[in-house]
Amino acid sequence: MKLTERFTDEIEYKGQTIKLNLAFDNVLRVRELLQDDVFSGAEKLLILFKMLVKNANGLNFSFNEINQLIGFIFDEILFPKKGSDGKSHFDFDQDAAFIYASFLQDYKMDLFEMQGKLHWEKFLALLEGLSDDTKFKEVVSIRGQKIPAPTKYNQEERKRLIELKRIYRLKNEKPSLEEADAALMSISKALKKSYKKGR
């Protein structure tokens, strides 16, 4: 992001001007479509073309040209943010409530009122700039933290972090070995208590 440049709303492709719809809510709908199992790949591509290109009806492109254009838009404009370890520590769907509340807290901005207005790049810049005391940043920080090696001094800290990572774990993320061990210990304690009561 450069303050001396305008946001990318128009690009030149095959000698024609492409007018893009890069409102943050439209881009989030694009992401939802990509995860949808109802449509085929070819159907998705044509829907994406209509969603992202405002003047799609006035353009005469082949299927292959549309495929190249959408690929360019994805790779050059909508490239997803990653954590320093190469992993994404948030999900726009799962964390939607945290993002909404955090924007309201920090910027007094109601994202529902900004639909169709707030540019995707501005949205990402504001998301990145949220203060550490917002719920979104707190949750992302928890997910990104490494569980420290056990010592006799940090048992409570480890237990607390393991539990927080379990609560806020992304749906597609597998539990860590520490979380799995903690879950097994919890089950084991519950079984021992049950066994003692039954005696």
Side-chain angles (χ1 to χ4, degrees), residues 13 45 49 62-73:
Y13 178 71
L45 186 65
F49 181 56
S62 67
F63 184 84
N64 189 49
E65 287 172 332
I66 291 172
N67 187 33
Q68 290 175 359
L69 172 62
I70 296 302
F72 174 82
I73 293 170

Side-chain angles (χ1 to χ4, degrees), residues 125-136:
L126 292 170
L127 185 70
E128 185 69 24
L130 286 169
S131 55
D132 291 338
D133 65 343
T134 57
K135 188 66 179 179
F136 174 73

